[in-house]
């Protein structure tokens, strides 16, 4: 990629490069917003012949025939039989947002089809991740003849074997990485099966909730074939897209292909306010406008997650499936309170974990563990450590019995999930799984050092290569006066943005610093002025004590620089303005 603005090394040590083409629009008199949108779409992988489809992503335009996935038709037929014969069905979901929304989609759909399915969400602390044999057997003893696991089950060999012995059918709908051998299930629907067809390669980035939506479509088609809708209306599956959008974004799934359509259309459904629980969640999140994509990951998702992390694991499913407005307000309020508690616990664990970083020396993968750490926040802390170090990071909470529950987050180019599965196969772990960017594990305390060495040996080269190519990708450079709400509106047209479809990043300058100070919890607020006389407000989150923050705080006011980041709307004042979420800066020599 070509170097942008001749920046070979910025304040943070990065090379600035163009994401696609040269985005310098400072002096282009005939530049149109449409030109920028086209550039943004192309640079993110949209085929030129399909630009209109990507500008307005629809379900029809991106959705495959569900039957292309292995076991999909078998799963749909078994669910259809359960509906036709009024069986007792239980949806067994994971305790995170993807699990909660997956369970909610299926429960709400089955309800519309005349079947009141139950929900079972395991307790994170007492039961851990994934289906347990004891829970499946108990559900069978209580009369369930069909159990559908969502967002879990792909590696649940022992649990599914126990369920089969107990005589209960199990359908697995998952998206996590699979081993070559699959556990025994009536059907296992997962785009990441190793024996999956080309559909897996195309749709392997779908979250579990996306696969559940496809199963819903297959189920409706199967029931249609049975004549089930001869005397009743078909359910409107598209009205459940608000749940699909929430689960997709909160699970940090790549917003490419079908996922873009899920989120784009799901936000429209969410704005219509059809889901009583979702409305209460939005209100509890203090959103006064219709939610946008970033709200799903930073406002709504964390509150659903809080139930599984530090509270009652089933609160999210209960909220998203209730039709009672008062119950919804009560649950949303409880989740809001739990989210506040989660933040305090997270801050404590993060502080202790960061104190251990020096002892990691030159490890390629950060492996941090501590006794008494709350397992419900280790994934978030792992993400923070990854951001701070630029390396894959695992945070492990060790209990009094010497068993550690860990969660990891990775960097682009390093497949952490595959490494965790391999470590389990090699005997370093009791259990483990995940996908490229995130993973979970169980490990005995006396195996931690060997496990850390194994990860260093396996991933060291990948981490080195990923770090060596560290660069800041820019989409455009604009004059300071061009950083306006209109620019944000134009760039939003190429959204929704998220994992795999990054939000646009611009550079602007030359500018000099007018004011720079620390606000809130370690945030850096800076006001800069350009040669064109226009000033810009910037904010760099959690960067006050970083190299970038310390350099800008000490910078002379007469020295000029380029700044780079993402432009957002600041609507606190009487009139909306644009501000830059600062990510990097470079001196102009």
């Amino acid at each position: 990629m070509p170097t942008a603005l001749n920046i070979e090394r910025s304040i943070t040590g990065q090379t600035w490069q163009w994401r696609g083409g040269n985005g310098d629009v400072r002096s282009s008199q005939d530049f149109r917003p449409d030109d920028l949108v086209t550039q943004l779409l192309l640079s993110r992988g949209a085929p030129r012949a399909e630009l209109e489809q990507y500008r307005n992503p629809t379900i029809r335009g991106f959705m495959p025939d569900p039957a292309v996935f292995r076991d999909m038709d078998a799963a749909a037929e078994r669910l259809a039989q359960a509906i036709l014969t009024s069986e007792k069905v239980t949806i067994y979901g994971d305790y995170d947002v993807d699990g909660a929304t997956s369970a909610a989609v299926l429960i709400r759909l089955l309800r519309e089809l005349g079947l009141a399915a139950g929900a079972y969400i395991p307790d994170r602390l007492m039961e851990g991740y994934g289906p347990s044999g004891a829970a499946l057997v108990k559900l069978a003893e209580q009369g369930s003849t069909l159990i559908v696991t969502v967002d879990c089950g792909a590696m649940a060999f022992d649990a599914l074997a126990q369920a089969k012995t107990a005589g209960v059918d199990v359908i697995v709908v998952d998206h996590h990485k699979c081993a070559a051998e699959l556990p025994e299930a009536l059907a296992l629907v997962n785009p990441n099966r190793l024996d999956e067809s080309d559909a897996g390669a195309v749709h392997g980035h779908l979250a579990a909730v996306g696969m559940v939506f496809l199963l819903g479509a297959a189920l409706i088609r199967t029931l249609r074939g049975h004549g089930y809708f001869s005397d009743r209306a078909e359910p409107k599956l598209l009205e459940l897209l608000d749940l699909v959008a929430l689960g997709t974004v909160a699970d940090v799934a790549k917003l490419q292909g079908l996922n873009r359509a899920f989120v784009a259309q799901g936000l429209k459904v969410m704005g219509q306010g059809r889901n009583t629980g979702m409305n209460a969640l939005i209100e509890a999140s203090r959103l006064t406008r219709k939610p946008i994509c970033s709200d799903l990951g930073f406002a709504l998702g964390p509150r659903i997650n809080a139930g599984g992390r530090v509270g009652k694991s089933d609160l999210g499913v209960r909220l998203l499936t209730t039709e009672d407005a008062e119950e919804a307000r009560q649950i949303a309020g409880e989740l809001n309170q739990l989210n506040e508690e989660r933040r305090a616990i997270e801050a404590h664990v993060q502080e202790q974990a960061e104190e251990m970083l020096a002892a990691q020396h030159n490890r390629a993968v950060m492996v941090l563990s501590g006794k008494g750490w709350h397992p419900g926040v280790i994934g978030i802390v792992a993400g923070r450590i990854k951001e701070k170090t630029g390396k894959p990071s695992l945070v492990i909470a060790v209990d009094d019995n010497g068993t550690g529950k860990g969660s990891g987050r990775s960097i682009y180019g390093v497949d952490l999930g595959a490494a965790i599965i391999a470590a389990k196969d090699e005997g370093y772990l009791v259990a483990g799984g995940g996908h490229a960017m995130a993973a979970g594990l169980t490990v005995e305390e006396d195996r931690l050092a060997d496990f850390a060495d194994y990860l260093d040996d396996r991933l060291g080269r990948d981490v080195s290569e990923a770090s060596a190519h560290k660069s800041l990708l820019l989409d455009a450079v604009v004059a300071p006066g061009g950083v306006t709400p209109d620019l944000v509106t134009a760039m939003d047209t190429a959204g929704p943005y998220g994992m795999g479809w990054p939000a646009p990043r611009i550079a602007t300058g030359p500018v000099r610093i007018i004011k720079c100070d620390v606000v809130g919890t370690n945030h850096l607020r800076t006001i800069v002025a350009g040669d064109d006389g226009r000033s810009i407000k910037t904010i760099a989150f959690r960067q006050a004590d970083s190299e970038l923050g310390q350099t800008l705080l000490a910078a002379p006011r007469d020295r000029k620089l380029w700044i780079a980041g993402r432009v957002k709307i600041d609507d606190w004042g009487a009139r909306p303005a644009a501000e830059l979420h600062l990510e990097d800066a470079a001196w102009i020599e």
Side-chain angles (χ1 to χ4, degrees):
M1 296 181 183
T3 301
L5 300 171
N6 297 317
I7 306 298
E8 297 288 349
R9 185 174 178 82
S10 68
I11 290 175
T12 65
Q14 300 184 92
T15 300
W16 287 10
Q17 295 181 320
W18 296 117
R19 196 186 307 273
N22 186 324
D24 192 338
V25 300
R26 287 171 292 167
S27 59
S28 179
Q29 299 299 317
D30 58 351
F31 181 81
R32 298 174 302 167
D34 247 15
D35 299 331
L36 177 58
V37 173
T38 297
Q39 176 181 306
L40 294 175
L41 292 171
L42 291 173
S43 64
R44 281 153 182 75
R48 185 173 292 276
E50 300 173 17
L51 281 176
E52 287 310 309
Q53 182 179 354
Y54 276 79
R55 284 179 194 269
N56 300 291
T58 63
I59 303 300
R60 181 184 296 274
F62 284 96
M63 186 164 163
D65 183 336
V68 300
F69 296 97
R70 291 188 181 276
D71 285 1
M72 181 68 82
D73 285 345
E77 180 60 40
R78 181 63 184 88
L79 267 173
Q81 290 301 322
I83 292 169
L84 293 170
T85 57
S86 300
E87 294 182 50
K88 184 173 183 179
V89 177
T90 300
I91 312 304
Y92 192 117
D94 187 26
Y95 38 66
D96 69 358
V97 185
D98 193 17
T101 52
S102 295
V105 167
L106 201 46
I107 289 169
R108 292 180 73 94
L109 176 60
L110 292 175
R111 182 190 299 164
E112 289 191 53
L113 291 168
L115 182 69
Y120 187 93
I121 309 296
D123 182 273
R124 181 190 289 264
L125 300 183
M126 301 302 295
E127 299 175 84
Y129 170 77
S132 70
L136 296 180
V137 171
K138 184 177 180 180
L139 290 172
E141 292 173 348
Q142 293 173 345
S144 291
T145 54
L146 175 61
I147 299 171
V148 185
T149 72
V150 292
D151 196 31
C152 58
M155 299 289 287
F157 292 91
D158 292 342
L160 296 188
Q162 291 180 52
K164 184 175 182 180
T165 300
V168 61
D169 288 337
V170 179
I171 295 170
V172 174
V173 185
D174 203 353
H175 69 130
H176 294 99
K177 286 186 177 293
C178 297
E181 181 184 357
L182 297 174
E184 292 184 284
L186 184 140
L188 197 155
V189 181
N190 186 330
N192 291 304
R193 286 175 55 154
L194 297 183
D195 63 346
E196 187 54 87
S197 64
D198 291 343
V202 175
H203 299 289
H205 59 285
L206 294 181
V209 70
M211 295 305 297
V212 169
F213 182 87
L214 293 175
L215 175 58
L219 173 59
I220 291 172
R221 181 166 63 187
T222 300
L223 287 171
R224 191 183 300 135
H226 284 288
Y228 190 69
F229 301 114
S230 59
D231 58 353
R232 63 187 301 157
E234 291 191 12
K236 297 178 180 179
L237 187 62
L238 295 181
E239 292 183 357
L240 299 176
L241 282 174
D242 55 346
L243 297 169
V244 180
L246 176 57
T248 297
V249 174
D251 209 54
V252 202
K254 291 183 179 179
L255 297 191
Q256 297 176 345
L258 181 56
N259 277 345
R260 285 180 49 70
F262 279 154
V263 176
Q265 299 304 319
L267 285 168
K268 294 178 182 178
V269 173
M270 194 175 294
Q272 295 168 0
R274 298 178 182 276
N275 187 308
T276 301
M278 189 76 77
N279 293 340
L281 181 64
I282 293 169
E283 182 179 352
S285 302
R286 299 182 183 89
L287 294 177
T288 57
R289 48 164 170 71
K290 292 182 179 180
I292 59 176
C293 188
S294 59
D295 294 328
L296 307 187
F298 293 104
L300 307 185
R303 286 169 169 79
I304 294 293
N305 256 336
R309 293 187 186 280
V310 298
K312 302 171 186 174
S313 58
D314 67 344
L315 286 175
V317 174
R318 287 172 52 200
L319 174 66
L320 298 174
T321 56
T322 186
E323 301 292 349
D324 185 313
E326 183 55 38
E327 180 186 26
R329 280 191 292 271
Q330 180 181 349
I331 296 175
E334 187 173 354
L335 285 171
N336 195 54
Q337 179 59 39
L338 289 170
N339 193 48
E340 294 299 321
E341 295 176 18
R342 185 270 305 168
R343 286 176 175 171
I345 295 169
E346 172 196 330
H348 175 69
V349 174
Q350 183 176 339
E351 180 180 1
Q352 292 188 332
E354 289 186 355
E355 290 174 355
M356 299 177 179
L357 287 175
Q360 293 287 300
H361 303 295
N362 293 318
R363 280 204 179 276
V365 180
M366 302 290 104
V367 180
L368 308 169
S369 64
K371 287 194 173 181
W373 289 356
H374 197 299
V377 302
I378 54 177
I380 304 173
V381 175
R384 302 283 192 215
I385 299 297
K386 180 204 73 172
E387 291 175 4
K388 188 178 185 69
T389 64
K391 296 180 177 181
S393 300
L394 288 152
V395 176
I396 301 168
V398 181
D399 64 22
D400 293 337
N401 297 318
T403 299
K405 299 287 186 180
S407 186
R409 299 293 183 268
S410 195
I411 60 176
Y412 285 111
V414 180
D415 191 335
L416 184 60
I420 294 300
I421 292 173
K424 177 184 178 298
D425 292 341
E426 293 287 339
Y428 292 99
L429 302 175
V430 176
H435 46 80
M437 300 300 289
L441 60 93
T442 302
V443 60
E444 296 301 333
E445 187 176 16
D446 59 5
R447 296 290 279 162
L448 273 171
D450 292 338
F451 169 58
D453 289 341
Y454 172 82
L455 287 182
D456 255 29
D457 290 341
R458 180 183 174 93
L459 297 178
R461 178 178 294 180
D462 292 343
V463 174
S464 294
E465 290 180 357
S467 300
H469 295 93
K470 184 180 178 184
S471 61
L472 191 80
L473 300 183
L474 298 176
D475 292 285
V477 54
V478 301
V483 181
T484 66
D486 287 342
L487 176 66
V488 180
T489 300
M491 293 191 299
D492 282 349
T493 306
Y497 298 106
M499 178 62 70
W501 198 269
R505 183 184 290 115
I506 71 154
T508 186
V511 297
R512 57 187 177 84
I513 296 174
I514 301 298
K515 181 180 180 181
C516 186
D517 56 4
V518 180
V519 297
T521 308
N522 204 36
H523 308 318
L524 188 75
R525 179 179 59 189
T526 308
I527 297 176
V528 300
D531 291 343
D532 59 1
R534 300 293 294 273
S535 63
I536 305 170
K537 183 172 73 173
T538 80
I539 184 79
F541 294 105
R542 298 185 297 276
Q543 292 293 314
D545 61 357
S546 69
E547 182 178 6
L548 175 64
Q550 291 298 302
T551 300
L552 295 183
L553 283 167
R557 297 300 187 252
D558 59 348
R559 192 173 181 187
K560 293 183 179 180
L561 69 167
W562 294 105
I563 58 175
R566 306 184 193 278
V567 187
K568 304 291 183 181
I569 296 292
D570 174 17
D571 51 12
W572 281 101
R575 296 177 58 188
E579 67 176 13
L580 188 74
H581 288 193
L582 186 67
E583 297 176 81
D584 203 357
W587 298 115
I588 297 176
E589 302 298 339

